[in-house]
DNA sequence: AAGTAATTTTTACAATGTAAAGTCAGGTGG
DNA sequence: CCACCTGACTTTACATTGTAAAAATTACTT
């Protein structure tokens, strides 16, 4: 397989290459760098080369987001039967480790939420997080218990990515790691 | 004060008018409609009329976001001394009532996070939410307690705006309101 | 070897953000 | 009363973006 030779036509692996380029730009320059022309430029092809595969920019980003949900699902699937706390912490740690990707996965105005692959991938990830027995407080619906756990994990993840959680610790004299803070805060 | 007469030059109240137009577009067509040209078009002025006041699009949106944080602070300030739960619920309800504005307030790549007004407005709002005594669980840092409360409120808000919380309840046969779910989930 | 299908490029166009120069209103000094 | 000047907005211009349509190039098939 000649993955990246200089043959200009018939790249052979363009779909995956474009996704890789998008991923590189996303992690290097943030979500604002996810322009179609920047992606194709980085991949070394013309500006409209992505259209046959992804339709438009939202299509490409949707596939990238679906990949993200797949990776999130895997990150939340440790070898041995995990507790609800383990899975929630894995959710937060994935977000902190992949801030751009995680942000993209929830940017409804940048991706196509009705995309079939994306729907199945995200639902799989959400089920993995929500469908755990966990310590449901007495007198609450199961939906409320799941919403509480998911909400707390998601909120901590988003605030951590935005750099807002650390501003809580650095105000006082207590200097703790972001990981320490998350570990204490997510119960 | 001739607020909106047809005198083309010397509008007299352009700064506020532009902010109002942006707000209208934001609430009507979502965050994707916040283009500079669309805002000036809606205000009835030329495309570059915002530059003297706001510098660029990010400057305008930053002022809008600062307004949002001011309104959020007010929404979290009920007449009588509130509990931590009241304030958290007010945070979530504000987000659900103003989804576009709330989303903009946390879009770091659309606004200018170092803007002076925005910094003070957001810090004021964050303090109002975090600096409440609340039911800190035993053995946790105060920063962790605040992070837990803020994270849960913020996560529930974001997930509710994205329409993801309702998918939790509609799966089973239990049909509960979003407000009911939030009320049960935010403890 | 020739034709056909698949893949990528060229070309083209509308829309956006923004910088620079130009134009108009309203107050001020003569 | 008139010229001027300053501030407020517009016009013009340009680089960049997303995307549709046509053209060009390569690979496959028979």
């Amino acid at each position: 397989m000649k993955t990246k030779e200089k043959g200009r036509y018939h790249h052979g692996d363009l779909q995956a290459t474009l996704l890789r380029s998008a991923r590189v730009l996303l992690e290097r320059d943030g979500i604002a760098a996810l322009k179609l022309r920047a992606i194709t430029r980085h991949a070394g092809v013309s500006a409209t080369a992505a259209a046959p595969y992804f339709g438009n920019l939202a299509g490409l980003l949707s596939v990238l987001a679906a990949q993200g949900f797949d990776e999130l699902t895997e990150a939340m699937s440790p070898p041995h039967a995990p507790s609800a706390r383990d899975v929630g912490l894995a959710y937060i740690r994935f977000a902190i480790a992949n801030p751009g990707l995680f942000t993209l996965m929830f940017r409804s105005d940048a991706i196509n939420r009705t995309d079939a692959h994306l729907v199945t991938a995200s639902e799989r990830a959400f089920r993995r997080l929500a469908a755990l027995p966990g310590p449901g407080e007495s007198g609450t619906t199961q939906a409320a218990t799941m919403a509480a756990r998911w909400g707390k994990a998601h909120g901590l993840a988003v605030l951590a990515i935005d750099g807002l959680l650390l501003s809580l610790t650095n105000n006082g004299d207590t200097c703790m790691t972001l990981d320490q803070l998350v570990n204490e805060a997510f119960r």
Side-chain angles (χ1 to χ4, degrees), chain A:
Chain A
M1 55 172 89
K2 45 175 177 176
T3 51
K4 288 186 122 182
E5 274 319 311
K6 262 194 116 184
R8 313 204 326 194
Y9 276 82
H10 290 76
H11 183 284
D13 189 31
L14 188 50
Q15 180 155 5
T17 300
L18 287 171
L19 287 172
R20 267 193 303 263
S21 289
R23 186 83 182 258
V24 168
L25 292 177
L26 174 60
E27 292 180 353
R28 209 185 55 188
D29 301 333
I31 228 174
L34 285 181
K35 322 259 187 203
L36 191 49
R37 283 174 123 103
I39 297 168
T40 54
R41 207 180 302 142
H42 183 272
V45 293
S46 81
T48 62
Y53 296 104
F54 303 99
N56 52 13
L57 174 60
L60 195 157
L61 298 187
S62 300
V63 177
L64 197 59
Q67 281 187 3
F69 277 111
D70 284 339
E71 296 179 21
L72 173 60
T73 301
E74 192 166 7
M76 289 190 299
S77 306
H80 304 304
S83 68
R85 181 161 196 276
D86 293 334
V87 174
L89 281 177
Y91 186 97
I92 301 174
R93 293 212 178 93
F94 176 86
I96 294 176
N98 308 77
L101 185 59
F102 186 83
T103 305
L104 176 69
M105 288 155 58
F106 290 91
R107 278 257 161 125
S108 308
D109 56 333
I111 64 182
N112 193 354
R113 268 288 172 81
T114 64
D115 180 280
H117 295 96
L118 180 59
V119 167
T120 64
S122 62
E123 282 184 352
R124 214 158 61 97
F126 296 158
R127 262 197 303 269
R128 179 90 57 179
L129 174 67
L132 274 185
E137 303 188 12
S138 61
T140 60
T141 317
Q142 189 168 4
T145 307
M146 300 190 310
R149 182 161 64 227
W150 188 11
K152 192 184 257 186
H154 193 77
L156 287 172
V158 170
L159 294 178
I161 287 178
D162 274 21
L164 294 171
L165 281 194
L166 283 181
S167 70
L168 279 181
T169 82
N170 294 350
N171 276 351
D173 48 0
T174 65
C175 270
M176 50 196 308
T177 311
L178 180 60
D179 204 71
Q180 291 174 352
L181 180 62
V182 166
N183 256 296
E184 279 197 33
F186 187 77
R187 294 269 172 225

